[in-house]
Amino acid sequence: MNKTVLIIEDETELREMLASTLKLEGYSIIEASNGQEAIDYLNTTDSAQPNMILMDLMMPGMDGWAFRSEMLRDPLIAYIPVVVISGNSNVTRVAKSMHANAHLSKPFSMEALVKTVKTHWLDDSAQRQYTQTVIETMQTVVNRLSNLIATLLQQAAFTDDRLLVNPRPFDTKDLITTIAGEHRAQAIKNNTDLEISIADNLAPLYGDPEVVGLILNNLLEDSINTMMGGEIEISAYTDEGTHYIAVQNIGGTLHTESTMNPVNFTPIASDEPQTSSTKPEDAKGAASSNASGRPTAPGVGLGLTLVREILTSLQAHIELQSDPNGGNTFTLVLPELSQSKQARVG
């Protein structure tokens, strides 16, 4: 059984004391004096990954914050339990903001160390399950992107000003869950909760999952990249044959480093929430143009030249509800396509 702890601590005496204590408990120890050494090990080792990471915050070179950020970018190591060890008076808040599993405030007893490691330990079977899930998710992403590229290449196959789609039944819940999984690490990095709410009676949607996924992926990416803190909720429901997929921002603040403009809507200011929409028949007026003169995203900041065509080909539109108290809700409205439907664009 693999019982390995990675200790990242720049104080040699403390690191050796932690290592000695855990070795007596039967653990194998990997030592690193800063975050960069730890990342190098995790990226190059052929051995099994550690079952836990003990991490200091203040270190020369790559500190604990930077190391944790690097961890969360790599799904193959992001799941490893992390315990923050620090003398920082705000260590409880800091550990929570970093989504660490636990923390130890310096000074701490070796009994507290052993108890914490045993409590938050990730055993081999759970580790293998996480790894397999990540691999399967990555395979799904690769397949989806491959299909997406094929879909986008249809722009070269315009015949008589038509965009062909490949409608077929698909599970909306599976599509939303997959896309949310791809963005979860970035949401965690931005300290933003990402929630999914799917209606129990949601029926399969007859449409093109690649192009629906393209729009949903970009709506979610815009929301996450422009938001710090708060919550993003993806919900889906159906009503009289029409499917609704909503991406809602709740609370949080605008990302100060973001240069993205998630919406081109300008809702009317009032005491009541206002709703704007971009429908296929309105898209021409709502869309902006890039240097090539082709329309870009009609009202949703997707930055893709085919969005207008995609919305039209799906007979879909996007609605925006803006709350004066903060927060936006983008709703992708998707009527079911008939199997013989081939929508005209332009």
Side-chain angles (χ1 to χ4, degrees), residues 18-80:
L18 298 176
S20 298
T21 300
L22 293 177
K23 285 178 181 178
L24 291 175
E25 297 293 327
Y27 298 100
S28 299
I29 303 299
I30 306 161
E31 298 182 35
S33 62
N34 59 50
Q36 189 58 60
E37 287 184 13
I39 286 293
D40 290 344
Y41 171 83
L42 293 171
N43 288 339
T44 60
T45 183
D46 293 328
S47 304
Q49 297 286 19
N51 305 85
M52 171 170 283
I53 296 174
L54 297 177
M55 178 188 72
D56 191 13
L57 291 177
M58 302 298 294
M59 295 178 290
M62 182 183 287
D63 60 21
W65 288 275
F67 170 78
R68 182 59 172 160
S69 179
E70 288 295 318
M71 269 194 73
L72 293 175
R73 292 178 184 176
D74 187 346
L76 290 174
I77 60 175
Y79 64 87
I80 300 174

Side-chain angles (χ1 to χ4, degrees), residues 248-321:
Q248 181 180 19
N249 295 345
I250 306 171
T253 58
L254 185 67
H255 197 313
T256 57
E257 297 179 357
S258 175
T259 59
M260 300 180 67
N261 179 16
V263 296
N264 294 324
F265 292 94
T266 306
I268 301 172
S270 71
D271 294 333
E272 298 296 329
Q274 298 294 324
T275 300
S276 300
S277 68
T278 297
K279 300 182 180 181
E281 61 269 25
D282 303 328
K284 187 173 183 179
S288 60
S289 297
N290 58 19
S292 68
R294 294 194 49 127
T296 58
V300 292
L302 304 189
L304 298 172
T305 60
L306 286 183
V307 170
R308 176 184 161 200
E309 287 89 341
I310 288 173
L311 284 172
T312 307
S313 69
L314 294 174
Q315 295 189 9
H317 68 275
I318 294 174
E319 297 178 349
L320 167 66
Q321 184 178 59

Side-chain angles (χ1 to χ4, degrees), residues 168-185:
R168 58 197 184 276
F170 68 92
D171 190 317
T172 311
K173 180 178 180 180
D174 286 348
L175 179 66
I176 292 173
T177 301
T178 299
I179 293 176
E182 296 168 15
H183 292 279
R184 194 165 297 279

Side-chain angles (χ1 to χ4, degrees), residues 89-143:
S89 60
N90 294 319
V91 62
T92 301
R93 178 182 60 80
V94 171
K96 182 178 180 180
S97 70
M98 299 172 72
H99 295 269
N101 299 75
H103 69 275
L104 289 167
S105 299
K106 296 179 182 178
F108 53 86
S109 67
M110 293 302 100
E111 290 78 9
L113 168 68
V114 173
K115 180 179 179 180
T116 300
V117 171
K118 289 182 177 179
T119 300
H120 299 281
W121 183 256
L122 183 65
D123 63 30
D124 286 352
S125 60
Q127 196 169 37
R128 285 193 295 269
Q129 181 179 354
Y130 275 110
T131 302
Q132 183 61 34
T133 300
V134 169
I135 292 173
E136 291 175 355
T137 300
M138 293 174 70
Q139 290 174 337
T140 300
V141 171
V142 170
N143 291 336

Side-chain angles (χ1 to χ4, degrees), residues 148-181:
L148 181 58
I149 290 171
T151 299
L152 293 178
L153 287 177
Q154 289 181 97
Q155 65 176 312
F158 280 117
T159 302
D160 191 25
D161 201 25
R162 292 177 183 269
L163 171 65
L164 303 179
V165 296
N166 181 24
R168 58 197 184 276
F170 68 92
D171 190 317
T172 311
K173 180 178 180 180
D174 286 348
L175 179 66
I176 292 173
T177 301
T178 299
I179 293 176

Side-chain angles (χ1 to χ4, degrees), residues 186-264:
Q186 183 63 40
I188 292 174
K189 180 180 177 182
N190 290 0
N191 199 29
T192 301
D193 294 327
L194 184 56
E195 304 294 337
I196 298 176
S197 176
I198 307 293
D200 293 334
N201 63 343
L202 190 65
L205 174 63
Y206 190 87
D208 191 322
E210 277 73 43
V211 292
V212 173
L214 169 66
I215 296 174
L216 177 59
N217 182 76
N218 280 276
L219 285 175
L220 183 56
E221 183 175 37
D222 265 11
S223 294
I224 291 175
N225 286 344
T226 57
M227 185 174 179
M228 292 293 290
E231 176 182 310
I232 294 175
E233 180 182 78
I234 312 172
S235 58
Y237 58 96
T238 184
D239 183 25
E240 297 183 353
T242 299
H243 292 247
Y244 300 85
I245 303 176
V247 177
Q248 181 180 19
N249 295 345
I250 306 171
T253 58
L254 185 67
H255 197 313
T256 57
E257 297 179 357
S258 175
T259 59
M260 300 180 67
N261 179 16
V263 296
N264 294 324

